Amino acid sequence: MKLYLNGHGYHFECENLCRLFFTYSPVRRVEAPGETPSENAEPYAEAVINEASHGYIYEVKCIYGGKRVSREEAHPEQSEYALTRMLYEVFAEITGNLPKWGMLTGIHPVKLLGQYENKLGEAEAKKIFTDDFFVSGEKYALAKRTLDVQKPYTKTKENDFSLYVGIPFCPSRCSYCSFISQSTEQAKKLVKPYFDLLLLEIEKTAELTKALGLRLISVYIGGGTPTTLSAAELSALCEKIFASFDMSTCTEFTVEAGRADTITPEKMSAMKAAGVTRISINPQSMSDNVLRAIGRNHTADDVRAAFDMATKAGFTNINADLIVGLPEDTFAGFSETLRETISLGASNITVHSLALKRSASLIEEKLDISSHKDSSLAAEMVNFSIEALTNAGFEPYYMYRQSRMAGNLENTGWAKNGDICAYNTYTMDESSTVIACGAGGVSKLKDPYTDRLERVFNFKYPKEYIDRNTEILERKERIRGLYEQFRKRIY
Ligand code: SF4
């Protein structure tokens, strides 16, 4: 899609709105107006603000499918909301599509709803969501339900923090993945030096957080696939964390086991013995056909066996990630996947809507993504999951959105019997500090006295992480400086 913008700085939001309606047509900003496409050519849009004698004239237009829709409005001042609302209305009219989340393009809709409720009350917050942002009644209800369930868990203390540890290796690369993870086959040589430096970073982080008087409340080992490590390495990693930090205040320790093809009884027992309280086994689908299509090297039977190993090792809090919109999937296939995942005994089930990043090989290889493009099928699957999980006693407790998701829907984490993952609520609500170790890790420091969030980045790739490890440790020192700044402001 070609997009001409002029007279304002609201480029990011305008581009996001284009992606909402024209998901499969990459947005290209053009410098000159009026690049009118011929029929069947890519869509074209303009969003312009011109100064006038008593304020501003807003002009928005779109040409698509042989039609042309435009709007013109006068406003006393420049307003991002007014311009994007006009663009939304023009796109909705020309495509005949009314997105379920209306014009919301941000990734934290529940956090946003909570902010409006705190500031303006429940009724006004609802009105803003449904009347101003055009969010559908069903999505408002889901966001509200999630907010109410997660509220008690997001009340943390000012010196609380969570630890994230990243293992950026996977047994093979899934075709929809845009994560930095490398297959262990490709990266065999890197695993050992990476692991040794990671233990060092954990040790240094513990020294730093101790000096700052921070209190560890949850640990999350994610990836990639942490269970690409051996049972001995998993034990060593957990032992390093227990030996380095004061764990007496830590109530949750998750390891994302992820792929069934990496899970063994030895690894399960090692994690259980080391003090892990919660694991994830992520089938994504229980259809072998779909698993093959997305490049996973395991079958649904392997997932069943992994659940059995986890239960035998004594795990009761097990999460399972599922994805709506995968190639080759059908409504019947997805509903069977969900039914079986519930009956396998998962206490957390996270229903994702597939987000297609341009780097993922799913697009590059031009696999069949019709189930992703069929937004009514994706919506049907998500609606089924809401009903089935509710009937099975699950409650939604965290949610986030991404761009280019199937049906422009959402990812929702569900839990039963209050068995939630507090770490997920901290990250999605951005209500508490997370300090990250490992490649691709981003520490997010929550200023306890304001809403500000400061970020400190580690290098993305394992090779960079290894080669420039001294810089990583130096960057960690920034955390000390930032906490000192937060605290200075109140004394
Ligand atoms: S398991 Fe996850 S991180 Fe690894 S390749 Fe697949 S989607 Fe990417």
Side-chain angles (χ1 to χ4, degrees):
M1 140 159 264
K2 287 180 181 172
L3 175 67
Y4 173 69
L5 303 170
N6 198 15
H8 58 86
Y10 310 134
H11 300 182
F12 180 70
E13 268 310 310
C14 291
E15 286 180 22
N16 277 345
L17 271 176
C18 292
R19 285 188 198 103
L20 197 58
F21 285 90
F22 304 97
T23 309
Y24 305 96
S25 171
V27 181
R28 186 156 67 80
R29 248 196 286 149
V30 292
E31 300 301 322
E35 284 195 32
T36 311
S38 60
E39 250 178 80
N40 302 326
E42 56 188 351
Y44 172 81
E46 282 183 22
V48 174
I49 298 182
N50 291 314
E51 266 187 67
S53 49
H54 296 292
Y56 297 89
I57 302 294
Y58 290 42
E59 290 172 357
V60 166
K61 84 171 172 204
C62 180
I63 300 168
Y64 173 65
K67 288 188 282 180
R68 181 184 193 282
V69 175
S70 60
R71 292 262 195 294
E72 191 175 302
E73 289 179 12
H75 289 275
E77 53 202 22
Q78 290 226 354
S79 152
E80 176 184 318
Y81 171 74
L83 186 71
T84 49
R85 193 248 312 135
M86 287 170 70
L87 206 50
Y88 174 86
E89 287 170 347
V90 163
F91 287 160
E93 184 178 334
I94 208 159
T95 60
N97 175 15
L98 287 177
K100 301 255 180 218
W101 284 98
M103 59 184 281
L104 284 189
T105 56
I107 61 172
H108 300 294
V110 174
K111 180 182 175 190
L112 185 69
L113 182 62
Q115 285 170 336
Y116 281 122
E117 281 200 2
N118 288 343
K119 224 186 300 169
L120 306 164
E122 198 178 312
E124 192 57 27
K126 179 178 181 184
K127 201 162 150 295
I128 290 171
F129 255 53
T130 53
D131 295 359
D132 297 351
F133 293 138
F134 311 107
V135 175
S136 66
E138 66 187 276
K139 291 303 170 198
Y140 165 76
L142 183 63
K144 173 67 179 150
R145 204 173 148 198
T146 309
L147 177 66
D148 289 346
V149 173
Q150 79 171 212
K151 247 184 211 158
Y153 302 103
T154 51
K155 289 190 182 14
T156 52
K157 299 204 175 79
E158 66 180 51
N159 286 328
D160 288 352
F161 81 102
S162 297
L163 176 72
Y164 175 85
V165 177
I167 307 293
F169 305 108
C170 289
S172 65
R173 200 170 163 89
C174 306
S175 51
Y176 57 84
C177 182
S178 62
F179 184 64
I180 52 147
S181 175
Q182 291 188 302
S183 76
T184 31
E185 203 44 51
Q186 278 174 336
K188 249 184 200 143
K189 282 196 305 240
L190 301 179
V191 178
K192 171 82 173 85
Y194 178 85
F195 187 71
D196 291 345
L197 289 169
L198 181 65
L199 296 189
L200 179 67
E201 193 191 359
I202 290 170
E203 214 172 283
K204 296 284 172 206
T205 303
E207 285 166 19
L208 176 69
T209 53
K210 197 170 173 189
L212 287 168
L214 301 184
R215 213 175 75 111
L216 181 61
I217 53 172
S218 76
V219 175
Y220 194 100
I221 302 182
T225 306
T227 40
T228 48
L229 297 177
S230 66
E233 285 166 332
L234 284 166
S235 294
L237 177 57
C238 298
E239 276 162 22
K240 174 57 82 180
I241 295 171
F242 272 89
S244 307
F245 291 90
D246 173 2
M247 298 296 283
S248 62
T249 49
C250 178
T251 53
E252 181 181 280
F253 193 130
T254 299
V255 176
E256 207 178 331
R259 301 254 302 242
D261 44 346
T262 61
I263 294 172
T264 64
E266 294 71 32
K267 292 182 193 179
M268 284 291 157
S269 305
M271 289 190 287
K272 187 68 188 160
V276 173
T277 60
R278 179 179 180 273
I279 55 162
S280 250
I281 298 171
N282 299 331
Q284 315 303 16
S285 169
M286 291 299 280
S287 149
D288 286 342
N289 207 20
V290 174
L291 290 171
R292 242 189 325 273
I294 60 175
R296 290 217 158 200
N297 290 341
H298 65 80
T299 61
D301 268 346
D302 294 328
V303 176
R304 292 177 193 114
F307 265 87
D308 190 47
M309 290 174 215
T311 316
K312 285 193 174 130
F315 285 106
T316 51
N317 191 343
I318 306 172
N319 172 70
D321 281 2
L322 304 180
I323 304 183
V324 156
L326 288 173
E328 305 288 334
D329 211 359
T330 58
F331 179 78
F334 175 77
S335 42
E336 196 37 49
T337 288
L338 183 61
R339 274 192 209 103
E340 182 162 9
T341 309
I342 294 171
S343 67
L344 280 170
S347 59
N348 283 210
I349 295 181
T350 310
V351 180
H352 295 263
S353 301
L354 179 62
L356 283 185
K357 302 279 171 173
R358 232 167 294 150
S359 60
S361 56
L362 199 62
I363 299 181
E364 287 158 16
E365 288 166 9
K366 300 203 171 24
L367 283 173
D368 175 18
I369 54 169
S370 49
S371 55
H372 188 275
K373 287 187 168 180
D374 185 345
S375 55
S376 60
L377 174 63
E380 216 185 318
M381 290 175 174
V382 166
N383 286 343
F384 173 78
S385 73
I386 295 173
E387 201 187 313
L389 287 163
T390 303
N391 291 341
F394 287 75
E395 285 291 341
Y397 75 96
Y398 82 97
M399 179 195 288
Y400 66 101
R401 298 182 67 222
Q402 293 161 282
S403 65
R404 298 164 60 84
M405 296 182 89
N408 281 307
L409 296 164
E410 66 280 330
N411 303 324
T412 308
W414 298 76
K416 70 177 177 188
N417 306 327
D419 237 356
I420 63 122
C421 173
Y423 173 86
N424 284 335
T425 67
Y426 307 145
T427 50
M428 291 312 149
D429 185 63
E430 299 181 321
S431 57
S432 180
T433 287
V434 174
I435 299 183
C437 293
V442 182
S443 297
K444 292 183 184 163
L445 313 181
K446 170 79 173 48
D447 180 344
Y449 314 109
T450 67
D451 262 347
R452 269 180 54 200
L453 204 65
E454 296 284 353
R455 289 176 170 77
V456 179
F457 294 86
N458 276 9
F459 291 118
K460 245 182 161 181
Y461 299 99
K463 177 92 175 72
E464 267 179 305
Y465 180 85
I466 295 165
D467 292 348
R468 299 169 70 183
N469 198 258
T470 329
E471 282 174 69
I472 299 261
L473 299 181
E474 282 162 9
R475 283 183 189 196
K476 274 265 145 18
E477 277 303 308
R478 281 195 53 213
I479 292 177
R480 188 190 307 273
L482 286 163
Y483 263 92
E484 281 164 2
Q485 272 177 33
F486 297 161
R487 287 165 179 172
K488 245 184 230 154
R489 245 176 274 143
I490 57 147
Y491 298 124

